[in-house]
Amino acid sequence: MIYLFDGSTYGFLTAFLAAFHDENALLVSKTTQLYIGETPITVRTDETRAQKAAARLTKLDKKALHDLDILLRCQESDNEQVAFLYLRFLAKTGGPVRNRFAQPCVFQAVTYMKKVALEIHRFHGFIRFMETESGALYAPFSPDNDICDLLVPHFRSRFPKFPFVLHDVGRKKAAVYDGANVFIAPLDQASVVISGDELTLQTLWKEYYRAVNIPARERLQQMRGYMPVRYWKYLTEKL
């Protein structure tokens, strides 16, 4: 049976409880192809039940909700089902299972969590901030996974006194740090006026990049390995 939920964490946990004993359960919040004559069950979010489920999972494994959060951020089409199977196995086992790689559901879940963690690590180095006329820093990017707010602690520690905006262009949302507080806001498009100093620095950075490049010794395959092409769009040196 297919269990549809609203995409939220509480929605997932409510559906998790509803589908727990169904060995053929499929949890999705996205549009999915149905077989002829198949009617999905739409699960209405129940925060009270979801909180109880969260408390139970946390008692079994203090990192369970963290794992769930990471899995729900993953861009893989079956991430919600993988999260369901992983947490159900955890609940039936009665304790942490993330090291039991012989279990397909655990192996898949850990693989997806590593993908998200790797992208977070990459964007610590791939994000390119631009200084605006107001003095705030702005960085557009298009991550595969929903990691916008997870990048904030790293850059907040690096620029504690500078307001900045991390704009996830694809998801039309932004993580905003105003110098004291952090909040997430919808952001379709941003009209940004960069400062004169920023223009100068961008020009110098591009000239440096061209100067150190040796056309006769280009190793494009190696470059793509260290810096995947899908991340080049917002890199100043590649503009």
Side-chain angles (χ1 to χ4, degrees):
M1 183 64 68
I2 295 176
Y3 297 79
L4 298 176
F5 67 100
D6 63 8
S8 67
T9 300
Y10 279 169
F12 174 90
L13 289 170
T14 306
F16 173 78
L17 292 176
F20 190 87
H21 297 291
D22 183 350
E23 291 303 316
N24 298 311
L26 175 62
L27 265 64
V28 293
S29 65
K30 315 174 186 72
T31 302
T32 188
Q33 183 68 45
L34 300 177
Y35 294 107
I36 296 176
E38 186 173 25
T39 303
I41 296 175
T42 300
V43 180
R44 185 175 181 180
T45 300
D46 184 328
E47 291 192 9
T48 300
R49 294 193 70 206
Q51 288 172 353
K52 290 181 179 179
R56 176 59 178 164
L57 289 170
T58 300
K59 186 176 181 179
L60 295 174
D61 180 355
K62 63 182 180 181
K63 295 182 179 180
L65 295 185
H66 171 269
D67 291 350
L68 172 59
D69 177 55
I70 297 300
L71 287 169
L72 293 182
R73 292 171 180 273
C74 183
Q75 58 93 30
E76 298 293 340
S77 60
D78 63 343
N79 65 317
E80 294 158 344
Q81 179 66 6
V82 168
F84 169 66
L85 295 176
Y86 170 70
L87 291 179
R88 184 167 68 177
F89 180 61
L90 185 157
K92 289 183 175 181
T93 301
V97 296
R98 64 182 56 81
N99 292 326
R100 297 179 64 170
F101 301 120
Q103 292 293 327
C105 62
V106 175
F107 180 81
Q108 197 65 61
V110 172
T111 297
Y112 284 4
M113 287 188 281
K114 285 183 176 180
K115 284 185 177 182
V116 176
L118 176 60
E119 187 167 51
I120 292 171
H121 173 71
R122 281 175 168 169
F123 272 114
H124 286 168
F126 292 165
I127 287 289
R128 296 293 184 264
F129 282 103
M130 297 180 285
E131 183 186 56
T132 66
E133 282 193 339
S134 68
L137 304 177
Y138 170 76
F141 71 125
S142 293
D144 294 332
N145 306 290
D146 188 4
I147 61 172
C148 191
D149 54 311
L150 299 184
L151 293 171
V152 172
H154 173 77
F155 291 109
R156 185 177 181 178
S157 66
R158 290 189 63 192
F159 313 119
K161 298 181 180 180
F162 291 90
F164 63 76
V165 176
L166 290 167
H167 183 190
D168 184 338
V169 178
R171 292 178 178 82
K172 299 180 179 180
K173 62 187 290 187
V176 181
Y177 174 58
D178 63 8
N181 303 297
V182 177
F183 57 93
I184 308 300
L187 183 59
D188 188 354
Q189 294 181 334
S191 297
V192 178
V193 180
I194 61 176
S195 68
D197 287 344
E198 176 65 26
L199 287 172
T200 300
L201 288 172
Q202 286 190 12
T203 300
L204 290 173
W205 176 228
K206 291 176 183 178
E207 289 179 355
Y208 169 78
Y209 185 79
R210 285 193 293 268
V212 299
N213 183 45
I214 304 174
R217 298 181 63 187
E218 282 188 331
R219 293 181 173 86
L220 294 179
Q221 185 174 354
Q222 184 182 43
M223 181 187 295
R224 294 187 183 105
Y226 286 117
M227 189 182 294
V229 175
R230 64 182 181 277
Y231 299 140
W232 289 8
K233 183 177 180 181
Y234 299 105
L235 295 176
T236 306
E237 61 269 33
K238 300 299 293 183
L239 296 177

